[in-house]
Amino acid sequence: MSRLLAVDWGSSSLRGALLDADGAALDERAFPRGILTVEAGGFPDVFQSCFGDWMTPGTLCLISGMAGSKQGWREAPYCACPAGFDAIAAALEWVEPGRIAIVPGLSIDKAGVPDVMRGEETQIFGALQLLGLEHARLVLPGTHSKWATVSDRKVTDFSTWMTGEFYALLRRHSILARMLPEDEPALDTAAFDQGVAHALAGPGLLNTAFSTRTLSLFNRMKTEALPSYLSGLVIGEELKSQTLPRGEPVVVMGAEALTARYEQALAQLGVPVQRVGAGATWRGLRAIADTLG
């Protein structure tokens, strides 16, 4: 397939790139038209208005992200792990056969409890392509962070961590909110490191989180440093539960400011980091398209 329209359709945003046969972006577009802004039955019209002129004869479109959820354009059932490029390509949900398809997310079941990802799998496959990796341990920080294990270019295991959401809840809706500044100050690296260290050594977040209040009560930390400390606590809590590769880097991908925090936190455990630049989603979709032949 010579031309690919790669689309990342999330909850709050819609972006796409027109890719050549080598995966290079010929053009890119972004719109504030996430799935939550689209009325029932309105997805074809939104797609046409945003990308219709790119859908020339012979162009394939692959869509990743929340467009494949129950609230999206069409539900794309999850693909069970272990899963690689072949499994994803075989499970595409075709909106228009041979022309427009939605990439399924991944699911895994551990001790009778399921976990899912939708959209991150495409980023993971793109990272493998960009870094030339067959095996990897990856983290995608965010509101709901994802940790994934890749073996032989297949996602064999993953887990979801509500780290960003718990930070927001504690920051705005707990007793701690009374001690914290209204605005988000610049990162205080020393306070962040202190939070990570306390989380790694402590019994758990239900205990360590309260230290944000007591450090303030006893004037042992400045008010503007407390959000950084709390951030270190929740990220450190996430890291202490991970099985990390010895002597090998963890692949970290996401927003620059957040990935920098994970790199700083992982340094306390002596774990090096390998960053992935922009374009992982596009490369992942290109790789899936190539699998289709």
Side-chain angles (χ1 to χ4, degrees):
M1 190 67 63
S2 58
R3 277 174 40 120
L4 173 69
L5 170 52
V7 174
D8 178 19
W9 206 334
S11 297
S12 59
S13 65
L14 167 63
R15 62 192 187 103
L18 191 61
L19 309 180
D20 65 16
D22 297 321
L26 304 173
D27 201 357
E28 297 189 40
R29 295 174 180 172
F31 308 91
R33 294 308 311 270
I35 68 163
L36 299 180
T37 72
V38 182
E39 65 281 359
F43 285 91
D45 289 342
V46 173
F47 178 82
Q48 179 64 27
S49 67
C50 294
F51 303 115
D53 59 317
W54 282 357
M55 289 300 293
T56 56
T59 299
L60 170 69
C61 176
L62 293 183
I63 304 172
S64 69
M66 294 302 290
S69 68
K70 289 183 178 180
Q71 296 77 35
W73 189 346
R74 182 180 296 182
E75 186 175 6
Y78 292 104
C79 185
C81 288
F85 296 96
D86 294 347
I88 288 288
L92 293 174
E93 180 67 24
W94 289 96
V95 176
E96 295 184 22
R99 188 167 181 261
I100 302 174
I102 298 175
V103 176
L106 298 183
S107 66
I108 196 167
D109 196 294
K110 301 178 185 178
V113 179
D115 199 349
V116 297
M117 67 167 66
R118 194 180 289 282
E120 293 92 350
E121 75 292 328
T122 305
Q123 293 177 269
I124 291 170
F125 291 137
L128 300 180
Q129 294 290 104
L130 289 169
L131 300 175
L133 298 176
E134 301 281 330
H135 314 278
R137 185 83 167 113
L138 309 94
V139 59
L140 292 79
T143 304
H144 299 157
S145 297
K146 303 287 185 180
W147 283 81
T149 300
V150 172
S151 299
D152 296 323
R153 291 166 62 84
K154 295 181 179 180
V155 178
T156 57
D157 188 26
F158 70 87
S159 57
T160 304
W161 301 79
M162 295 175 63
T163 306
E165 185 163 354
F166 266 84
Y167 173 79
L169 289 170
L170 292 171
R171 175 83 170 86
R172 299 295 180 189
H173 304 290
S174 75
I175 189 66
L176 305 181
R178 300 182 183 182
M179 326 294 293
L180 303 178
E182 182 65 25
D183 297 328
E184 196 73 20
L187 178 68
D188 185 312
T189 56
F192 177 81
D193 280 340
Q194 185 176 340
V196 172
H198 188 48
L200 293 175
L205 187 62
L206 294 179
N207 169 260
T208 59
F210 195 68
S211 64
T212 309
R213 176 174 170 79
T214 55
L215 286 171
S216 177
L217 284 174
F218 286 85
N219 297 316
R220 296 185 184 179
M221 184 171 289
K222 295 180 179 179
T223 299
E224 59 268 23
L226 292 173
S228 298
Y229 175 77
L230 180 60
S231 176
L233 283 179
V234 295
I235 290 175
E237 184 70 21
E238 178 183 326
L239 296 187
K240 73 187 291 185
S241 302
Q242 306 306 319
T243 301
L244 300 170
R246 293 187 177 181
E248 296 182 8
V250 167
V251 177
V252 182
M253 52 196 306
E256 173 66 27
L258 195 51
T259 55
R261 294 191 187 205
Y262 275 70
E263 183 171 3
Q264 184 176 334
L266 284 163
Q268 290 201 29
L269 294 170
V271 178
V273 161
Q274 193 168 11
R275 298 260 201 116
V276 179
T281 296
W282 307 150
R283 286 298 295 269
L285 290 171
R286 179 76 257 183
I288 294 169
D290 292 341
T291 302
L292 293 171

